[in-house]
Structures are given as C-alpha cells and as structure tokens.
Amino acid sequence: MKKGIHPESYRLVAFKDMSNEDIFITKSTIDTKETIVVDGVEYPLVKLEISRTSHPYYTGKSKLIDTAGRIDKFKSKYAKFKK
C-alpha cells in the first residue's frame, strides 16, 4: 500500500438513523458540527436518512411504490431496444 494516503484522524462517531431513531457508534473521519450524548459520553453526530436498520434489503420489508406509472414509462421507453 502507498504510504501517506490514508487519513489518521479516526475517532468514534455516532450515526443516527432519522427514520427509526437507531444510533450506532463506529470510527470515522467525517467532519460534523453536531454532537450527541450516548451512555454518558459525547460523540460527534452524523444524521442518516436510511441505514441497515431501516433499509428494505436488510429488514425484509420491501415496498414497490409506483408513482405516476414510472415503471410503465421505463418499460415502454426501453422496449424498443429489446430484441
């Protein structure tokens, strides 16, 4: 591996899934301005829209939402390329 290309400023960061309020802590170099207290310890906070606890692939609860026939539009658009 090349030397000097990897960051060295790893620290513990709290990631919060905003859809289900799940919080997990891991090492990261991400910059953040917010903090959160978890189990009496203050961590930098990163807010997520979706994570492993709310993603349909991991939860097994998938939903197919077809707004305005987007799937039908896609199929008709690319049907001409079918052989």
Side-chain angles (χ1 to χ4, degrees), residues 21-74:
E21 303 296 319
D22 181 52
I23 298 173
F24 60 95
I25 299 170
T26 187
K27 288 186 173 183
S28 178
T29 61
I30 193 166
D31 291 327
T32 180
K33 296 179 182 179
E34 295 182 73
T35 60
I36 190 171
V37 176
V38 179
D39 297 331
V41 180
E42 187 174 9
Y43 297 101
L45 174 66
V46 177
K47 294 180 179 177
L48 305 172
E49 294 295 322
I50 195 163
S51 72
R52 60 182 169 73
T53 59
S54 62
H55 193 281
Y57 178 80
Y58 297 106
T59 61
K61 300 176 185 174
S62 64
K63 289 191 256 180
L64 180 61
I65 301 171
D66 185 15
T67 37
R70 288 176 22 198
I71 295 172
D72 292 330
K73 287 180 188 177
F74 177 84

Side-chain angles (χ1 to χ4, degrees), residues 11-24:
R11 67 196 190 291
L12 290 177
V13 177
F15 289 85
K16 182 176 183 180
D17 187 336
M18 300 308 290
S19 65
N20 64 2
E21 303 296 319
D22 181 52
I23 298 173
F24 60 95

